[in-house]
């Protein structure tokens, strides 16, 4: 079956612009996660959605970052007023509740 | 603080060798531990998931073990091949911290023909 998909695969933006990153999880997976992978910080958790519960936002680095998940499926991660330190690969994963997580190919964000 | 550590950061072995990758974690309240493979410029591929109640899992030439008391997991790769060259990441979820993964820094493996 189809895996986790993310779009765009690459995004180049100018400092100060807003960006939106999209994630389509595996059908039937109730949990969706966003992670960020950067050279200096490795892989770090950003935000987690589980069913209809309030999301766990404990990993978001600043209030410029937000995410939503519509209809329990597709999720959008929004970064406002991008900064150069936001440059990283943003990875999305999904799972069936507390279970094995499957990752998408990621979106490489470059802030000039 | 819940931390996951992988040593060594890089490893180079000749083709055919059996090898072990190490992962250590600081909190014994682990819920499960997952091993991933990442090829350059790609996302993460799940290799094995070990639940806290399990001691090991096997898939083909891969065997992963979990020892909660010592805070260690190992990934054993038998008869390594050049196609096994990649970065291997371990990640833990904790019973008291939702289901987000805490990742180690990874071990970059090179298998030479």
């Amino acid at each position: 079956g189809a895996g986790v998909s993310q779009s765009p695969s690459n995004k180049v933006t100018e400092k100060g612009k807003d960006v939106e990153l999209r994630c389509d999880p595996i059908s039937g997976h109730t949990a969706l996660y966003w992670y960020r992978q950067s050279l200096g910080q490795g892989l770090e958790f950003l935000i987690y959605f589980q069913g209809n519960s309030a999301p766990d936002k404990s990993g978001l680095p600043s209030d410029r970052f937000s995410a939503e998940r519509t209809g329990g499926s597709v999720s959008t991660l929004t970064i406002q007023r991008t900064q150069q330190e936001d440059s990283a690969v943003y990875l999305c994963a999904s799972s069936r509740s507390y279970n094995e997580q499957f990752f998408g190919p990621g979106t490489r964000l470059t802030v000039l | 603080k819940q931390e996951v550590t992988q040593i060594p950061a890089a490893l180079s072995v000749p083709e055919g060798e059996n090898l072990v990758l190490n992962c250590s974690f600081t909190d014994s309240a682990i819920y499960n531990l997952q091993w991933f493979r990442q090829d350059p410029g790609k996302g993460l591929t799940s290799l094995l998931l070990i639940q806290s109640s399990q001691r090991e899992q096997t898939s083909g030439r891969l065997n992963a073990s979990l020892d909660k008391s010592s805070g260690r997991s190992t990934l054993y790769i038998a008869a390594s091949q050049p196609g096994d060259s990649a970065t291997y990441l371990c990640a833990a979820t904790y019973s008291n911290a939702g289901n987000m993964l805490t990742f180690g820094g990874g071990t970059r493996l090179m298998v030479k023909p």
Side-chain angles (χ1 to χ4, degrees), chain B residues 6-70:
Chain B
Q6 292 185 252
I7 296 174
L11 181 65
S12 180
V13 301
E15 180 177 4
E17 190 162 299
N18 302 326
L19 60 101
V20 173
L21 305 180
N22 296 299
C23 173
S24 60
F25 45 92
T26 56
D27 189 343
S28 62
I30 191 169
Y31 186 75
N32 62 43
L33 190 134
Q34 198 165 352
W35 281 93
F36 295 91
R37 167 186 174 137
Q38 186 173 34
D39 293 284
K42 304 291 185 182
L44 276 64
T45 300
S46 179
L47 297 174
L48 289 164
L49 172 77
I50 311 177
Q51 302 282 3
S52 61
S53 58
Q54 300 172 322
R55 294 205 41 105
E56 66 179 281
Q57 284 285 344
T58 298
S59 175
R61 294 182 295 108
L62 305 179
N63 176 278
S65 67
L66 177 65
D67 185 340
K68 289 177 58 179
S69 62
S70 67

Side-chain angles (χ1 to χ4, degrees), chain A residues 33 35 37 56 100-101, chain B residues 34 38 44 46 99-101:
Chain A
Y33 319 77
Y35 297 88
Q37 186 172 32
D56 182 333
E100 187 175 7
Q101 295 186 27
Chain B
Q34 198 165 352
Q38 186 173 34
L44 276 64
S46 179
N99 199 39
M100 65 285 291
L101 291 165

